[in-house]
């Protein structure tokens, strides 16, 4: 990820998740898998990765950001209604999300015109 070799990152995170699905770092790996897919504009697969994290690891620190990234992935696939619904869900489900995530949600809501 740091070298922006997203294809390698994707392969590495997928291998990690396959080998260690219950590892304490699995949620982080899931997030970064989604991020590597998003950066490669593979929005459908990215959306699935972010959805998996936000449903399997609801209390993980990255869960609110994963929902935001899910919404961004949906918007990139021209699924405006689902994107807007997901953005609204971030605030409802994670009222104590970080300021960065909350600002990201507001920016995305304006960009998508929710």
């Amino acid at each position: 990820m740091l070298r922006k070799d997203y294809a390698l990152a994707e392969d590495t995170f997928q291998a990690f998740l396959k080998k260690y699905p219950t590892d304490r770092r699995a949620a982080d790996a899931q997030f970064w898998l989604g991020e590597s897919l998003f950066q490669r504009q593979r929005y459908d697969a990215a959306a699935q990765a972010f959805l998996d994290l936000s449903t399997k690891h609801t209390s993980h620190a990255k869960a609110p950001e994963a929902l935001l990234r899910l919404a961004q992935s949906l918007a990139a696939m021209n699924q405006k209604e689902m994107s807007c619904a997901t953005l609204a869900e971030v605030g409802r489900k994670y009222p104590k999300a970080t300021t960065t995530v909350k600002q990201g949600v507001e920016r995305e809501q304006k960009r998508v015109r929710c």
Side-chain angles (χ1 to χ4, degrees):
M1 289 300 292
L2 296 174
R3 292 191 313 257
K4 298 184 185 330
D5 186 346
Y6 301 118
L8 176 63
E10 178 187 335
D11 292 344
T12 304
F13 290 124
Q14 282 181 332
F16 179 87
L17 288 165
K18 189 173 185 176
K19 192 170 183 177
Y20 308 106
T22 59
D23 188 278
R24 64 180 177 81
R25 295 166 295 184
D28 286 318
Q30 188 72 43
F31 178 84
W32 291 110
L33 170 61
E35 192 62 29
S36 64
L37 292 161
F38 188 89
Q39 293 301 325
R40 294 177 65 210
Q41 298 179 351
R42 294 186 55 209
Y43 301 119
D44 55 340
Q48 187 61 56
F50 292 128
L51 179 64
D52 288 349
L53 186 145
S54 65
T55 54
K56 294 177 187 171
H57 306 279
T58 56
S59 60
H60 190 273
K62 288 279 188 195
E65 190 175 355
L67 266 186
L68 169 58
R69 296 305 265 164
L70 170 58
Q72 290 170 323
S73 299
L74 291 166
M77 293 186 295
N78 295 318
Q79 295 187 22
K80 180 182 173 182
E81 285 183 32
M82 288 182 68
S83 177
C84 291
T86 304
L87 290 165
E89 187 74 3
V90 176
R92 189 190 69 71
K93 199 170 182 180
Y94 300 103
K96 295 180 181 177
T98 65
T99 302
T100 306
V101 169
K102 288 178 181 177
Q103 289 172 343
V105 167
E106 288 175 18
R107 252 190 326 274
E108 193 66 12
Q109 285 173 323
K110 287 177 186 168
R111 191 182 73 75
V112 178
R113 295 188 179 101
C114 294

